[in-house]
C-alpha cells in the first residue's frame, strides 16, 4: 500500500513534497520575517525558534541570542518569510479534478473553446464521457449561453458535460442530454432553470437543473479522487496556501481526505464544511469532528446554498436583472426550510456557512439568523459566503447579527463588467463592499473560490487593495471606495481565514504557540507594486515545521 501511494504521488505531483527537519527543536534564521499580531499590527523579525511539535517558540530580532546547537537549522540567507496564506473559501477536490480534466478557463471565445475540446477528445479517445469545465460566456463575449448544437459540431459520438466557471451551470451536448433522459417534457426542478430553444432543452442547465444530467454522469472512483486530492494539494502548496476551508465536502471527498491523512501525506490544513446538514451528520454524528492528523483536518461546519451565481443569472435579486427584465434569479429554499436546516446544524454545534450572492438571498440568510440567534447564543460565527450583492440597508446587519463576511477579491475584478450589466449602475452600492464591511466592524475572511478563480493569493491580495485586475484596469480601481488597505487584505487572507474557521488559536499568524506554517518568497510584499506583488514566487512552503514544497530552479 505504501509503495502504491508513493507511485501515486510521483505520477501526479506537480511540485515536490520535501521531507523537513521537524519533530526536533529548530531554528529558521537570517530571514526578513514579517507577520501580524492578533490586533493586526505588522511585526518584523530575523529568526524563529520552532519546537518539536512544529509550533513557534519565539520570534527573534537581530540582536537576540541564537541557540548554540539547534537540532536543525534553516538558513534562509535574508529571504522574506511570511505566514502561510489561508484561503477561506475553496473547493479542494474540484480544483484537483479541474486540473486533471478538460479545463476551458483560459479560453477567450467559443471557437477557442471548441478547438480545445476537439484537441482534448483527440488525445483521450478512450473516455466514454468528456468532463471538465471553466467556460464563461461573458468572457467569450458571446451574448448568449452556448448550446448543445455548439458542442455537437465538435463531439457528437459521446456525451460531453462541462461546468460553467462558477459551478452554477453546466453545458451538455445532445448525447449527454439523451443519456440523462431529459426531454422537452422534463419538469424544471425548484431552484433550477433549463435554458430552452422553443420547448427543447438548449444545452445549458442552471443550478438545481444540473442534477437532471449529473445523475447519468459516471462518478469518480476512489483512486480518481485520491489523484485529484494530491494534485490539488500540490497546487495549493505551490501558491503558499497552508490552510483552506473546503466549502461543500461530500462524503466521498471526506473519505479521500481521510485516506490521505492515514497515509501521512495530508499537508495542507483543511477546515471542512459538509455539503448539507445530512452529510455533516453522517460524518461527525452529534457534532464537529476533532482535529485529526496533527491539526490537518476537521469538519466543523455545514455549507448551505441560498441562491446561484450572478453570471448564470441564478443569483436571487430583490429586483429583476437589468439585462434580463423577466428574471430575478431564484432562492434555493423557502424561508422556513432554510431556518430549519440552520437550526438542525446549530443545535449540534455545527458552524453554518451559507452561499448568498444576490441581495434577496443575503437578506433571506440575515433574516434567518435574526430569527434563530436568540435560541442559539454564544460564539456561533455565522458565515455568509460571497455576500456579493447586499442591499445597503442590510450591510449593518452583518455586524449586528455577528456574521462573518467570507468574500473573494478576484470576483470583483473578474465580474465588474458583468455585474454592471446584470445590475445597472444604480444597484452597485452594496456590491463587493469590503471596506464598508470593515468600517461596520464585520470580520472579513478572504479566499478565491477556486477553481472558479485561480487559488493564487497574490492576485487576490493585489485586487483587494487596488480593485484592479492584472492589467491595471480600470484606472483608479472599480468602485475604489471599497478598497481595503494592503495590511487589512493580508489579515483577511491569513488570520481572517483562521478566525472564520475557529482555528485562530492554532494557526494564521507566527507567534509563540502557533503552528510554524510559513512561506519563503522572492520579494518583500510591502515594498512591491501591485504588479510586482502579483508576480511573487513562493520558494518554499512549510507546514508545522516541515518543508513540504520547494520551488524547482528555472
Amino acid at each position: 500500500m505504501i509503495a502504491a501511494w508513493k507511485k501515486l504521488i510521483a505520477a501526479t505531483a506537480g511540485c515536490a513534497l520535501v521531507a523537513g527537519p521537524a519533530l526536533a527543536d529548530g531554528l529558521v534564521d537570517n530571514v526578513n520575517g514579517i507577520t501580524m499580531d492578533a490586533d493586526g499590527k505588522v511585526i518584523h523579525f530575523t529568526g524563529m525558534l520552532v519546537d518539536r511539535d512544529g509550533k513557534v517558540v519565539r520570534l527573534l530580532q537581530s540582536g537576540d541570542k541564537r541557540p548554540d546547537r539547534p537540532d536543525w537549522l534553516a538558513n534562509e540567507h535574508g529571504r522574506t518569510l511570511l505566514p502561510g496564506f489561508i484561503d477561506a473559501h475553496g473547493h479542494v477536490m474540484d480544483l484537483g479534478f479541474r486540473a486533471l480534466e478538460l479545463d476551458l478557463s483560459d479560453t477567450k471565445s467559443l471557437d477557442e473553446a471548441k478547438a480545445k475540446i476537439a484537441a482534448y477528445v483527440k488525445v483521450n479517445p478512450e473516455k466514454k464521457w468528456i468532463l471538465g469545465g471553466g467556460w464563461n460566456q461573458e468572457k467569450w463575449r458571446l451574448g448568449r449561453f452556448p448550446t448543445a448544437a455548439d458542442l455537437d459540431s465538435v463531439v457528437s459520438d459521446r456525451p460531453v458535460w462541462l461546468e460553467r466557471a462558477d459551478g452554477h451551470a453546466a453545458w451538455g451536448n445532445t448525447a449527454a442530454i439523451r443519456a440523462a433522459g431529459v426531454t422537452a417534457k422534463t419538469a424544471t426542478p425548484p431552484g433550477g432553470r433549463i435554458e430552452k430553444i422553443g420547448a427543447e432543452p438548449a444545452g445549458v442547465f442552471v443550478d438545481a437543473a444540473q442534477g437532471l444530467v449529473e445523475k447519468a454522469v459516471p462518478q469518480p472512483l476512489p483512486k480518481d479522487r485520491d489523484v485529484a486530492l494530491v494534485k490539488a494539494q500540490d497546487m495549493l502548496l505551490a501558491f503558499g496556501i497552508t490552510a483552506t476551508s473546503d466549502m461543500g465536502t461530500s462524503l466521498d471527498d471526506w473519505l479521500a481526505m481521510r485516506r490521505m491523512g492515514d497515509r501521512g501525506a495530508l499537508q495542507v490544513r483543511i477546515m471542512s464544511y459538509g455539503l448539507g446538514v445530512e452529510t455533516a451528520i453522517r460524518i461527525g454524528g452529534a457534532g464537529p469532528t476533532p482535529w485529526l492528523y496533527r491539526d490537518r483536518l476537521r469538519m466543523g461546519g455545514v455549507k448551505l446554498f441560498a441562491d446561484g451565481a450572478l453570471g448564470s443569472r441564478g443569483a436571487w435579486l430583490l429586483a429583476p436583472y437589468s439585462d434580463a427584465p423577466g428574471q430575478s434569479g431564484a432562492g434555493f429554499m423557502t424561508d422556513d426550510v432554510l431556518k430549519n436546516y440552520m437550526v438542525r446544524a446549530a443545535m449540534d454545534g455545527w458552524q453554518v456557512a451559507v452561499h448568498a450572492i444576490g441581495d434577496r438571498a443575503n437578506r433571506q440568510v440575515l433574516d434567518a439568523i435574526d430569527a434563530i440567534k436568540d435560541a442559539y447564543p454564544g460564539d456561533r460565527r455565522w458565515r455568509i459566503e460571497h455576500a456579493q450583492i447586499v442591499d445597503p440597508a442590510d450591510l449593518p446587519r452583518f455586524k449586528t447579527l455577528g456574521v462573518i463576511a467570507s468574500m473573494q477579491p478576484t470576483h470583483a475584478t473578474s465580474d465588474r463588467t458583468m455585474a454592471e450589466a446584470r445590475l445597472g449602475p444604480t444597484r452597485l452600492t452594496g456590491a463587493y463592499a469590503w471596506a464598508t464591511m470593515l468600517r461596520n466592524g464585520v470580520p472579513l475572511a478572504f479566499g478565491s473560490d477556486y477553481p472558479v478563480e485561480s487559488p493564487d493569493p497574490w492576485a487576490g491580495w493585489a485586487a483587494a487593495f487596488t480593485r484592479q485586475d492584472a492589467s491595471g484596469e480600470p484606472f483608479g480601481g472599480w468602485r475604489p471606495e471599497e478598497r481595503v488597505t494592503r495590511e487589512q487584505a493580508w489579515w483577511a487572507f491569513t488570520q481572517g481565514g483562521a478566525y472564520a474557521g475557529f482555528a485562530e488559536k492554532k494557526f494564521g499568524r507566527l507567534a509563540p504557540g502557533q503552528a510554524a506554517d510559513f512561506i519563503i518568497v522572492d520579494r518583500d510584499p510591502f515594498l512591491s507594486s501591485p504588479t510586482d506583488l502579483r508576480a511573487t514566487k513562493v520558494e518554499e512552503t512549510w507546514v508545522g515545521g516541515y518543508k513540504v514544497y520547494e520551488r524547482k530552479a528555472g
Side-chain angles (χ1 to χ4, degrees):
M1 180 64 76
I2 293 175
W5 180 246
K6 288 181 177 179
K7 289 180 180 179
L8 174 63
I9 291 178
T12 59
C15 45
L17 297 182
V18 185
L23 299 181
D25 294 320
L27 171 64
V28 183
D29 208 3
N30 295 323
V31 297
N32 171 33
I34 313 172
T35 188
M36 277 185 170
D37 65 16
D39 297 320
K41 178 184 177 182
V42 176
I43 295 173
H44 295 266
F45 58 96
T46 61
M48 183 170 64
L49 294 175
V50 179
D51 69 15
R52 293 173 179 268
D53 294 323
K55 294 181 179 180
V56 177
V57 175
R58 184 184 173 199
L59 300 182
L60 303 172
Q61 302 301 326
S62 55
D64 292 337
K65 179 178 174 54
R66 271 57 174 168
D68 293 329
R69 298 179 64 184
D71 289 339
W72 58 267
L73 170 67
N75 186 338
E76 295 296 346
H77 304 287
R79 294 190 294 182
T80 295
L81 183 153
L82 308 168
F85 285 100
I86 299 173
D87 194 307
H89 184 115
H91 306 278
V92 175
M93 298 300 298
D94 288 346
L95 179 66
F97 278 119
R98 181 64 52 82
L100 297 170
E101 296 176 340
L102 173 58
D103 185 0
L104 299 178
S105 59
D106 60 349
T107 58
K108 298 179 176 61
S109 68
L110 175 60
D111 286 341
E112 189 176 331
K114 289 165 71 172
K116 192 167 186 179
I117 295 166
Y120 182 85
V121 172
K122 186 175 181 179
V123 298
N124 292 280
E126 79 288 353
K127 291 187 178 292
K128 296 180 179 180
W129 279 70
I130 302 300
L131 304 175
W135 60 272
N136 185 342
Q137 84 282 0
E138 298 293 328
K139 190 175 178 180
W140 295 344
R141 301 182 185 278
L142 193 60
R144 61 174 175 84
F145 280 117
T147 65
D150 292 323
L151 274 179
D152 291 344
S153 67
V154 183
V155 186
S156 59
D157 64 336
R158 74 193 84 171
V160 181
W161 185 242
L162 306 170
E163 281 193 348
R164 192 179 185 276
D166 56 20
H168 286 271
W171 174 30
N173 66 353
T174 299
I177 296 170
R178 285 176 179 164
V182 177
T183 69
K185 296 180 179 180
T186 300
T188 300
R193 187 175 75 249
I194 303 173
E195 290 292 313
K196 294 187 176 183
I197 297 175
E200 297 294 329
V204 167
F205 297 76
V206 179
D207 290 318
Q210 294 176 84
L212 297 172
V213 179
E214 285 173 350
K215 66 185 181 183
V217 177
Q219 293 302 299
L221 298 173
K223 65 180 182 180
D224 301 323
R225 293 182 184 278
D226 292 346
V227 172
L229 181 53
V230 171
K231 182 63 177 178
Q233 176 169 266
D234 287 345
M235 295 172 70
L236 295 173
L237 294 174
F239 277 121
I241 296 168
T242 54
T244 183
S245 289
D246 185 52
M247 280 295 164
T249 310
S250 71
L251 178 59
D252 287 330
D253 296 342
W254 178 260
L255 293 175
M257 294 169 188
R258 290 298 306 264
R259 288 193 296 272
M260 195 160 173
D262 289 344
R263 295 177 177 113
L266 188 61
Q267 303 294 350
V268 171
R269 302 186 193 276
I270 299 176
M271 297 171 282
S272 169
Y273 291 74
L275 184 60
V277 178
E278 295 85 356
T279 299
I281 291 174
R282 288 184 69 186
I283 291 169
T289 72
W291 278 100
L292 306 169
Y293 313 117
R294 300 182 68 228
D295 295 340
R296 295 300 197 279
L297 179 64
R298 175 179 182 258
M299 181 171 285
V302 169
K303 170 74 178 300
L304 303 174
F305 290 85
D307 68 345
L310 204 60
S312 53
R313 296 192 187 89
W316 193 16
L317 302 181
L318 290 167
Y321 283 90
S322 293
D323 58 354
Q327 298 180 31
S328 299
F332 285 4
M333 294 176 278
T334 65
D335 295 347
D336 286 342
V337 169
L338 175 61
K339 284 186 286 189
N340 286 341
Y341 276 130
M342 294 177 71
V343 165
R344 183 65 188 87
M347 67 189 294
D348 283 338
W350 295 99
Q351 187 186 14
V352 178
V354 188
H355 164 116
I357 288 183
D359 47 14
R360 179 65 184 88
N362 275 279
R363 179 170 293 176
Q364 182 191 39
V365 179
L366 291 168
D367 286 347
I369 294 170
D370 199 7
I372 69 174
K373 63 180 174 54
D374 291 340
Y376 299 95
D379 188 10
R380 292 288 174 173
R381 301 190 197 179
W382 312 100
R383 296 179 56 151
I384 291 184
E385 304 303 311
H386 310 305
Q388 285 184 6
I389 313 299
V390 182
D391 188 281
D394 289 326
L395 286 168
R397 301 178 69 196
F398 279 74
K399 171 63 175 178
T400 305
L401 299 173
V403 179
I404 295 169
S406 173
M407 306 178 78
Q408 300 76 40
T410 51
H411 278 339
T413 52
S414 296
D415 291 356
R416 63 181 180 86
T417 55
M418 179 268 291
E420 289 172 348
R422 295 286 189 270
L423 299 172
T426 61
R427 285 198 283 165
L428 291 171
T429 303
Y432 310 85
W434 316 322
T436 298
M437 291 290 189
L438 283 184
R439 283 193 297 269
N440 289 344
V442 178
L444 274 185
F446 278 164
S448 64
D449 197 14
Y450 64 79
V452 176
E453 303 278 354
S454 166
D456 183 359
W458 308 99
W461 190 357
F465 68 84
T466 65
R467 304 278 287 197
Q468 294 176 311
D469 62 19
S471 301
E473 295 294 333
F475 179 77
W478 183 61
R479 303 191 64 81
E481 68 275 9
E482 292 296 349
R483 289 181 300 205
V484 297
T485 69
R486 190 180 297 231
E487 292 80 5
Q488 288 168 338
W490 191 34
W491 189 94
F493 267 117
T494 51
Q495 294 185 65
Y499 177 81
F502 283 96
E504 73 277 10
K505 293 182 180 179
K506 292 183 176 292
F507 50 83
R509 60 192 175 99
L510 297 172
Q514 290 268 305
D517 297 353
F518 62 91
I519 55 178
I520 304 296
V521 298
D522 67 348
R523 68 199 69 194
D524 186 329
F526 289 92
L527 300 178
S528 301
S529 69
T531 298
D532 287 342
L533 183 65
R534 288 174 177 271
T536 301
K537 296 292 187 294
V538 176
E539 303 289 355
E540 299 175 3
T541 302
W542 294 62
V543 178
Y546 278 96
K547 187 194 295 184
V548 294
Y549 164 80
E550 186 168 12
R551 183 171 172 242
K552 295 178 181 178

